[in-house]
Amino acid sequence: MLQTYGQIKSEVQFGGSNFLGITLNTGLDIPLSKNGYHFIVPIVGVGILLPGWDVPTCIIHAGLNYNYKKWGLGAEVSGFTENPFWDSQEHTNSSFVDMIIYPNANYTILFKRRWYLKVSAGAYFAFSKQYDNETDRHRMQFEGDVIPGAGLSLGYAF
């Protein structure tokens, strides 16, 4: 019987599916092999879009990566919503997207004891919520442009 232990980590991420935002994330390295080279890593977090880019916007972040040693492949998604702590009466028509999906490849650089830096490169797929008169529902509409993106995370593994 294979007995494995996961490792919790906490990180600050700039970019990635956050676009021009910052999130505080928590992840769990779940080993898939005895040798400790293969991991699946679910990540969740919350953050904010940087001021000046758009109205103060909250970010809900989630991701799933497959890591082999220091290399990884995965996908992240960030949902953008109004900040409940900001008076948004003067900003009723935000032009920012509602969701970004970011498939990516990443590399982790280990330094110091348990500290790491993760660099990722991928593509942004942006979606906006649109009202559909025919079905009387909202749906997510692809914005049509795929642009290259990058992310940087600084973290600590417990």
Side-chain angles (χ1 to χ4, degrees):
M1 180 174 185
L2 176 65
Q3 185 175 8
T4 61
Y5 299 95
Q7 182 170 32
I8 296 174
K9 57 188 181 180
S10 187
E11 64 186 27
V12 175
Q13 180 179 355
F14 174 75
S17 64
N18 305 325
F19 189 57
L20 292 178
I22 296 174
T23 57
L24 296 173
N25 302 330
T26 298
L28 177 64
D29 289 346
I30 303 169
L32 299 176
S33 65
K34 284 184 180 182
N35 64 13
Y37 291 154
H38 300 272
F39 294 92
I40 191 154
V41 186
I43 298 171
V44 295
V46 294
I48 190 164
L49 194 61
L50 292 179
W53 176 256
D54 197 24
V55 300
T57 302
C58 287
I59 301 172
I60 307 297
H61 177 87
L64 184 64
N65 284 306
Y66 165 75
N67 289 356
Y68 175 72
K69 296 185 181 182
K70 296 180 182 180
W71 293 95
L73 292 174
E76 300 174 4
V77 62
S78 284
F80 301 87
T81 186
E82 289 183 22
N83 188 330
F85 305 109
W86 181 267
D87 182 16
S88 62
Q89 292 174 351
E90 45 188 86
H91 303 288
T92 55
N93 289 328
S94 175
S95 61
F96 199 72
V97 298
D98 294 300
M99 181 176 69
I100 291 179
I101 297 176
Y102 175 66
N104 67 85
N106 55 70
Y107 183 77
T108 303
I109 302 163
L110 302 171
F111 62 98
K112 299 278 184 180
R113 182 170 165 86
R114 300 184 182 245
W115 287 93
Y116 65 91
L117 183 69
K118 183 170 67 173
V119 179
S120 68
Y124 293 130
F125 293 83
F127 295 84
S128 292
K129 190 184 292 186
Q130 302 292 325
Y131 182 74
D132 186 358
N133 289 325
E134 292 178 15
T135 61
D136 197 31
R137 291 182 169 175
H138 284 91
R139 63 183 179 92
M140 297 303 276
Q141 180 176 331
F142 177 56
E143 289 293 318
D145 290 332
V146 178
I147 45 180
L152 186 63
S153 300
L154 175 63
Y156 181 81
F158 295 96

